[in-house]
Amino acid sequence: MKKSHLLLTALAIGSLAACKTTPQSPVSLQWEMGENQVEPGFYGSTFTLVNTSDKPLETGWEIYYTQLSPRQVKNYENSPVTIEMVNPGYYKMTPADSWQPLAPGDSIAIHYLNRGILTQTQFTPKSPFFVQSDDKPISIPLTIAPFTREAQWTVPDRVAPPYPDGATCYAQNEALQTDYTPQTYDMLPSLKEVTPRTGVSVISENISLSVEEGFANEARLLVQELEKIGYHVTDNGQTVIALCHFAKNTQARNDEHYRLDVRDNYITVSGATPHAIFNGSQTLLSLLKRQNIPARLDNVAIDDYPDLLYRGMMLDIARNFTRKADLFRLIDLLASYKINTFHFHFSDDEAWRLEIPGLEELTSVGAHRGFTRDESQCLYPNYYGGWNPADTTATANGYYTRQDFIDLLQYAASRHITVIPEIESPGHARAAIVAMKARYNRLKDSDPEGAKEYLLSEKADTSKYVSAQAYTDNVMNVSLPSVYRFMEKVSDEIIAMYREAGVPLAAIHIGGDEVPHGSWEGSPSCQRFMKEQGMTDPHQLAEHFLDQVSAMLAGKGVKVSGWQEVALNHSPELNARIAPRFDGVYCWRTTGRSDIIPYTVANDGYGVILCNVSNFYLDLAYNSHKDEPGLIWGGYVDQFASFNMLPYNIYCSNRTDMAGEKNNLKTAARGKVQLTARARPRIKGIQAQLFSETIGSFDQVQYYIFPKIFGLVERGWNATPDWSPTPTDDKEALYEEARAIYNAKIAAVEMPRLAHEGVNFRIPQPGVQIVDGKLYANSPIPQAEIRYTTDGSEPTAESPRWEEPLDCQAQVVKARLFYLGKESLTSTFVNND
């Protein structure tokens, strides 16, 4: 055994001892990152395979694992094993011709290359399992060697913001320092108008409720929340809360406009609609949750309403599953921040998560991932979950029954949240395609015609394409009549669920994004259809699909929605025909030359939901720290990126470029498509997206959302801040002041509220640096503790607390922030003086 692998083997064996598997795996694995650009476009990796059994490891075995980042594996010549991609994100290791039996206790290092870059510890291999000739998989203990060398998380000449080391974080935190102290009525979203009155109301433990007709649901929910806090609702409370209609002479700004009056222990929530009353109740609850009982509120009159009537969040439950109880918890949280739309992304390449009666394979096959040779019973593994498709604890597996979805619709509707279901089509449809093949194979002998009724693919199709996620078989064949029967069948079942729930169906989102070049070009059916229809370009097939499906839904009285691709590159005639069928076009790729898309689409007659990747993709990492989870293909998104979004000044919504350099906001809109006055009302709202490739638990869902979503919460309510730049004034000072105040509200108001409610959230890193032999540190959260070490170890809650500059000659200082039971990632300062 080579000396360099002694430690790796010891770690792997230690991991095995701690791991209880039934039956016991005959091997263990250690994985170590090498460095990026070992060869142009490739990074190096090493698996160390240890034989932990009492028999030699001969041939005839397979090891499988998942890993998100690589798209291609390159094996070195004479490697003892061959590693290959079975499916995107799913890899197989088998003994090569040069394999020699591995004796018990021995190990072997397997060096290989992955295409791409790897800069984050989250994107290492996961969920390995061992298979022999009996096809009975066994989970393998896996240890990941720590990233300790800078070459493991850096890439030469890469365009990226500065790495968040101690000095970088110090400068960033310095810009957030403010004398502003959040006041009683500070919250997110910020209230439109707050008029102080003299006196103070003391909100007693016992509260009486007065409710006008039409607001019974809002009263019920308010009572539930008051009782959670510790208040009692009685007939003779010392404090009265009245839910009532606006006075006759009051003009509502919109359906969500409310007033909240606090006057000498009498609180009035008034509005023209139940939704308005609900919003006012959320404001009141936000105030009460921040105080002990009895709460003290300055007498006040609040007049408040949102600027945008669509304020949404999308959660992808296809890549990794979020269970019903957790999703209901999320709905509560979104409603408490007055978010009013939930985009239910239940289908994608990796899974289908909604029961559709009559198409059982969609969930019996498409809602499970695990070890399979042919995907006849489940899909290939990916992301988290391993080999067992029956493991209900894994985020790989699970779906919403018909009744679950009806329950969700009713639960959300009672909290004034509209649920938009998404049927991903014609691309991003691999799970549905595989499931309908399984259905075909089940019925082909007993009912040949019925077997083909909902097929989404053509056996003779030889089209060559690679999707954005590296799939080569994820696009529906839109020339097949069975595809349209499938879309109608699924739509009809969804419509029936809404009808049974008693909830209006605002729209069905049909996806429409990322259909790769080359789709349909090798399909005999598509070529015949194009010839019959006089088509000359495959794009016309996509337009045909869009036209047919939107017309089908229009015939049922249902609006359609889709990602931005559904409204691009069409003739004026087609736009004029299909735009009236649309409820909203969700514009997401809004960087570089694509930044003109939202206003172009709005000018073309479509309603627009702004989903800007650089502002609202919650699954992007907060920053480039090696231990920060999240994707990085669209840059980095934190709570300030979402705060920066300007719906009516979209070209100034990114204050820095991909390298972290400041953009020139005075010239940002020069020469770009401008939003016309006629199209301005078509900017319907904004939405955050949380795709789930990197999510293995509901704790992670919350980590990505909070505090990142607070910028959307604020901007949806207050769409045109006074710091919005103009061609003559970038208003930088005004922006920096507003940004610091926003940060102070998150730290002092919203984080304590989240902590009290048991919600997971992220806290930022401290800054740390040594200047002239003195150790300095700072925090974007004044209330937090900074703990540090000078011996290279990771700081803990017991490490020394930094409180003031002190003498320090250490070569390496590490620091973490501790606040409300959370701790930050580590900030490291290397003293080169």
Side-chain angles (χ1 to χ4, degrees), residues 496-508:
M497 293 181 216
Y498 276 81
R499 186 182 302 117
E500 187 170 330
V503 173
L505 173 56
I508 292 179

Side-chain angles (χ1 to χ4, degrees), residues 16 31 59 76 79 85 181 205 314 449 499 515 662 725:
L16 176 67
W31 186 88
T59 58
Y76 285 110
S79 173
M85 187 173 77
T181 301
E205 181 179 359
M314 187 218 80
E449 288 304 310
R499 186 182 302 117
V515 174
K662 285 188 175 182

